[in-house]
Amino acid sequence: MTGEVRPQGQGRPSWEARRAALLKGRRPGPDVLTFGETMVALRGSGPLKLGGTMAVSIAGAESNVAIGLSRLGHPVRWAGAVGDDEAGQLVLRTLRAEGVEVSAVSTDPDAPTGLILFEPRLPEVTRVHYYRAGSAGSRLREDAVERAFAAAPPRVLHLTGITPALSPTALSAARRALQLAWENGSLVCLDVNFRARLWTAEEASQVLREWVPSVDVLIASDDELPLCLPAGAAGAAGAAAGTTDTTAGTTDPGSGPGHDPAAAIAAQAGLLLELGVGEVAVKLGADGATAFTGDGSLHRPAQPVRAVDAVGAGDAFVAGYLSALLDGADLAGRLTRAVTTGAFAVASPGDWEGAPTRSELGMLGAPPGTVVR
């Protein structure tokens, strides 16, 4: 039935078997399918109220991942909706130029392409202003993902927690995508990407908890993990590590005697693995990232770089992680590539502009002042 998520966790193969199936041969379709809203992005040079010039680009978590994967040599399809306007043409033109396949994208004649404004306010603080209510992207429907799967099923379906928060139709589209992934044997990657401006923690938890049994790779920041756990489970895991459950579905990472953040993260990741997730990658910002599987955990520190713009770093991390997974790299290789692509994003202005190509991945190890000739 359309709009319902099939319970993949019941009787599906082990994560090892699912990952082996991913690496066995190549499908005629894309390596990755992702979908959501991509907006026109305007970046100011300072406070918006003072005016000045603005740089024009595009931005969207899912398309950021698509561009990052394309630059690493993977065939990627992005599905979504744009307005029948110049802004929509900029979105499509940019994605095509970056090698992202957009044949499943629809053009909405009755709604505009969304807009996002970036306002640098302090050297390390940027305010973001969204103008996406009623946009074409927020009106995404099930037929967009059905067209994308009909063209050729992907090896991996990549979802974020942003798209289902946009509208009831976008939520239905995401649920339909999960169902089609099950029917076509595609792995599912979920980047939680919680946006408090789009929905509450309670609303997000209701959806994410429903999806967890269908997820193969779950990527989240440490404060997003509780959103994916059953009611009360996050608090129990936090209590075991000395944290205190302060709100529905979340924990306060800075409270409790003998508090151990790493133990709390490990406990929460362990619960997600028990619920059927294949592996959990936790983004820790400047502290790097830790991945958890049924065989244990592995940590990788962040790559040292001069930070320029942290926007888009999480999406770049996802692109690197999925790229290495598709290449058959082990857990260490997946984490290493993810923190590397994340570092490229931090070291460059913009959402996706600094994403590396495969040949550039080794550049971060070069000594200062290196000139590549």
Side-chain angles (χ1 to χ4, degrees), residues 191-210:
D191 182 5
V192 174
N193 237 328
F194 174 65
R195 294 290 186 269
R197 291 188 181 183
L198 295 177
W199 55 357
T200 67
E202 291 77 15
E203 291 170 332
S205 293
Q206 184 176 358
V207 171
L208 296 172
R209 290 165 180 167
E210 171 193 324

Side-chain angles (χ1 to χ4, degrees), residues 57-132:
S57 184
I58 69 168
E62 298 83 7
S63 55
N64 292 344
V65 172
I67 291 173
L69 283 162
S70 179
R71 288 194 179 180
L72 291 170
H74 299 278
V76 187
R77 175 175 293 136
W78 177 80
V82 297
D84 186 12
D85 49 30
E86 292 297 300
Q89 288 302 308
L90 173 63
V91 170
L92 296 180
R93 180 177 182 272
T94 303
L95 291 175
R96 290 192 186 105
E98 289 294 332
V100 177
E101 201 273 324
V102 294
S103 63
V105 175
S106 60
T107 300
D108 190 333
D110 301 317
T113 302
L115 173 67
I116 182 171
L117 303 181
F118 293 94
E119 179 188 20
R121 198 61 190 88
L122 293 170
E124 296 184 2
V125 178
T126 298
R127 289 195 294 217
V128 179
H129 308 273
Y130 295 100
Y131 298 87
R132 66 199 309 176

Side-chain angles (χ1 to χ4, degrees), residues 20 72 86 104 124 126 133 162 165 169 187 259 275 282 318 337 371:
L72 291 170
E86 292 297 300
E124 296 184 2
T126 298
I162 298 174
T169 60
L187 290 189
H259 166 65
L275 291 171
V282 183
V318 174
R337 188 175 299 180
V371 177

Side-chain angles (χ1 to χ4, degrees), residues 4 20 37 47 69 72 77-78 110 113 127 129 149 154 156-157 167 218 230 244 272 302 311 355 365 369:
E4 293 183 353
E37 179 174 27
L69 283 162
L72 291 170
R77 175 175 293 136
W78 177 80
D110 301 317
T113 302
R127 289 195 294 217
H129 308 273
F149 271 90
V156 176
L157 169 68
S167 68
L218 189 144
T244 302
L272 289 166
V311 176

Side-chain angles (χ1 to χ4, degrees), residues 24-362:
K24 185 179 179 180
R26 292 294 297 264
R27 293 185 176 193
D31 278 354
V32 178
L33 164 66
T34 188
F35 64 95
E37 179 174 27
T38 296
M39 299 160 284
V40 166
L42 301 181
R43 290 180 174 273
S45 56
L48 292 175
K49 64 185 178 184
L50 300 181
T53 59
M54 304 192 81
V56 183
S57 184
I58 69 168
E62 298 83 7
S63 55
N64 292 344
V65 172
I67 291 173
L69 283 162
S70 179
R71 288 194 179 180
L72 291 170
H74 299 278
V76 187
R77 175 175 293 136
W78 177 80
V82 297
D84 186 12
D85 49 30
E86 292 297 300
Q89 288 302 308
L90 173 63
V91 170
L92 296 180
R93 180 177 182 272
T94 303
L95 291 175
R96 290 192 186 105
E98 289 294 332
V100 177
E101 201 273 324
V102 294
S103 63
V105 175
S106 60
T107 300
D108 190 333
D110 301 317
T113 302
L115 173 67
I116 182 171
L117 303 181
F118 293 94
E119 179 188 20
R121 198 61 190 88
L122 293 170
E124 296 184 2
V125 178
T126 298
R127 289 195 294 217
V128 179
H129 308 273
Y130 295 100
Y131 298 87
R132 66 199 309 176
S135 66
S138 71
R139 291 152 56 106
L140 180 71
R141 304 182 66 87
E142 292 182 21
D143 57 357
V145 295
E146 289 172 347
R147 286 195 303 272
F149 271 90
R155 297 170 72 192
V156 176
L157 169 68
H158 171 251
L159 297 173
T160 75
I162 298 174
T163 300
L166 296 177
S167 68
T169 60
L171 172 58
S172 294
R175 284 177 167 149
R176 178 63 173 149
L178 280 172
Q179 183 184 47
L180 290 170
W182 165 269
E183 294 172 358
N184 289 277
S186 303
L187 290 189
V188 175
C189 171
L190 170 63
D191 182 5
V192 174
N193 237 328
F194 174 65
R195 294 290 186 269
R197 291 188 181 183
L198 295 177
W199 55 357
T200 67
E202 291 77 15
E203 291 170 332
S205 293
Q206 184 176 358
V207 171
L208 296 172
R209 290 165 180 167
E210 171 193 324
W211 289 4
V212 159
S214 302
V215 173
D216 296 289
V217 178
L218 189 144
I219 300 177
S221 57
D222 55 345
D223 59 345
E224 291 173 334
L225 288 177
L227 297 173
C228 305
L229 292 169
T243 61
T244 302
D245 195 5
T246 58
T247 62
T250 63
T251 58
D252 176 4
S255 64
H259 166 65
D260 185 347
I265 292 170
Q268 292 165 3
L271 290 174
L272 289 166
L273 295 175
E274 291 176 5
L275 291 171
V277 177
E279 58 190 48
V280 179
V282 183
K283 299 174 289 186
L284 301 171
D287 292 327
T290 303
F292 300 85
T293 71
D295 296 325
S297 64
L298 185 67
H299 177 77
R300 280 290 180 270
Q303 291 270 19
V305 294
R306 181 181 300 172
V308 174
D309 185 356
V311 176
D315 303 326
F317 178 96
V318 174
Y321 199 93
L322 287 181
S323 170
L325 176 66
L326 289 159
D327 285 351
D330 60 11
L331 187 60
R334 298 197 287 277
L335 271 180
T336 298
R337 188 175 299 180
V339 298
T340 299
T341 50
F344 268 92
V346 171
S348 308
D351 270 41
W352 52 269
E353 286 83 348
T357 62
R358 191 173 289 257
S359 64
E360 294 173 330
L361 288 173

